[in-house]
Amino acid sequence: MASANLNIMIKAARKAGRSLVKDFREVENLQVSVKGAGDFVSRADREAERIIKEELRTARPNYGWIGEETGEEAGEDPTRRWIVDPLDGTTNFLHGLPHWAVSIALEHKGEIVASVVFDAAKDELFTAERGDGAFLNDRRIRVSGRRQMIESIFATGVPFAGRGTLPATLRDLSRLMPLTAGVRRWGAASLDLAYVATGRYEGYWERGIKSWDVAAGILLVKEAGGFVESIRPDQSPVESGSIVAANPQLFDEFAGLVRQRD
Ligand code: LIP
């Protein structure tokens, strides 16, 4: 049984998802004008955040907030805040690729306690609450049971336009690709974590990532039986800007490779 807070989050994610699906159908028509499409998607993104904020704020006016588009706002209750990415996978959305999601997490005293990642284009709703397991459309999910790197698929994000973390990511790729069944780069961190939680792939890592991209997905992986840490082991995976997640059988080997310095 979902808690009241999770139900509020699901309602907000579905409402924003409906608005985004409508806009996504328009994107193809706008591809002729790249600037037009870019502006349109920024508006769609901001509108989705507005919808989510209105829903969550109406239901829980005293919680804090951090959202990709509107930044951080303290709440009367300093122990609870929403961490929201209204449109994770913006570049995919802009290019008409149906791989993007609404991501909403609830943090309480520094811990993520409830999560929703909603892939509205595929109608896949991933949810989790601390201690209650993780679900895809109400069906319980588990991380994969694979034990061999060579049979396993891993996902990452490659920084666009050669941002600062590109050399480290290329080093990771050259180390991992010969040892695995493949590396995927699908462009939506929240879904990468949701896919680790469902066992679609065995692990995911990324550098240069924001809290709103990963907060919800982190709880999905943990509640599905997986491990998640920052690439720097002493830091928080939500806040540190780097993340490594995998099933328990492969976590140490995989994280060891990602953490290796040369
Ligand atoms: C994106 C991520 C993607 C990552 C990008 C970016 P956005 O989020 O989910 O996987 O590689 O750097 O952060 O900007 O689409 O919400």
Side-chain angles (χ1 to χ4, degrees):
M1 256 273 282
S3 71
N5 275 336
L6 185 61
N7 280 323
I8 291 163
M9 294 160 75
I10 292 171
K11 188 171 165 226
R14 285 201 181 278
K15 196 164 174 187
R18 275 196 296 280
S19 161
L20 287 166
V21 164
K22 202 149 42 72
D23 289 335
F24 187 64
R25 290 201 191 105
E26 292 295 314
V27 165
E28 258 186 356
N29 304 328
L30 297 162
Q31 292 297 349
V32 273
S33 147
V34 174
K35 178 158 188 325
D39 288 349
F40 179 82
V41 171
S42 305
R43 274 202 302 279
D45 201 346
R46 283 199 303 273
E47 173 60 8
E49 183 151 328
R50 191 196 63 73
I51 291 169
I52 296 166
K53 202 168 184 177
E54 189 178 282
E55 286 289 321
L56 299 181
R57 276 282 158 98
T58 305
R60 298 286 184 262
N62 55 338
Y63 288 14
W65 167 275
I66 180 166
E68 180 170 19
E69 301 303 314
T70 53
E72 193 156 8
E73 283 168 34
E76 261 172 53
D77 177 350
T79 69
R80 292 183 173 82
R81 67 170 178 167
W82 305 111
I83 305 177
V84 176
D85 190 346
L87 174 55
D88 182 39
T90 321
T91 307
N92 286 341
F93 191 99
L94 175 62
H95 287 255
L97 293 167
H99 194 76
W100 45 268
V102 177
S103 174
I104 305 177
L106 175 60
E107 187 186 58
H108 182 216
K109 295 185 176 165
E111 298 284 324
I112 307 300
V113 294
S115 302
V116 173
V117 172
F118 182 40
D119 178 342
K122 305 185 202 76
D123 197 25
E124 289 195 325
L125 180 78
F126 300 88
T127 57
E129 289 193 87
R130 200 168 57 174
D132 278 342
F135 296 83
L136 162 55
N137 293 343
D138 295 327
R139 186 173 48 82
R140 191 178 276 273
I141 51 176
R142 290 277 313 160
V143 292
S144 127
R146 288 199 174 82
R147 295 172 171 275
Q148 305 296 328
M149 292 286 284
I150 198 67
E151 295 172 349
S152 299
I153 289 180
F154 296 87
T156 190
V158 178
F160 64 90
R163 274 186 314 175
T165 56
L166 183 61
T169 306
L170 293 176
R171 267 201 315 275
D172 297 337
L173 286 169
S174 66
R175 212 174 277 142
L176 280 158
M177 290 179 79
L179 304 177
T180 66
V183 174
R184 302 289 182 265
R185 193 278 186 257
W186 284 18
S190 60
L191 289 175
D192 285 331
L193 287 161
Y195 283 17
V196 174
T198 49
R200 289 175 179 166
Y201 31 71
E202 279 61 45
Y204 158 72
W205 84 103
E206 185 158 357
R207 300 168 190 277
I209 196 90
K210 302 287 190 208
S211 62
W212 47 77
D213 296 317
V214 293
I218 286 173
L219 186 67
L220 291 176
V221 173
K222 287 184 177 168
E223 287 297 325
F227 294 168
V228 188
E229 291 180 8
S230 166
I231 292 177
R232 295 190 181 168
D234 49 330
Q235 296 186 357
S236 144
V238 181
E239 303 292 346
S240 70
S242 78
I243 187 163
V244 53
N247 72 12
Q249 298 85 343
L250 290 168
F251 185 86
D252 286 347
E253 191 177 354
F254 171 53
L257 286 160
V258 171
R259 286 171 174 156
Q260 199 174 301
R261 287 168 189 259
D262 47 13

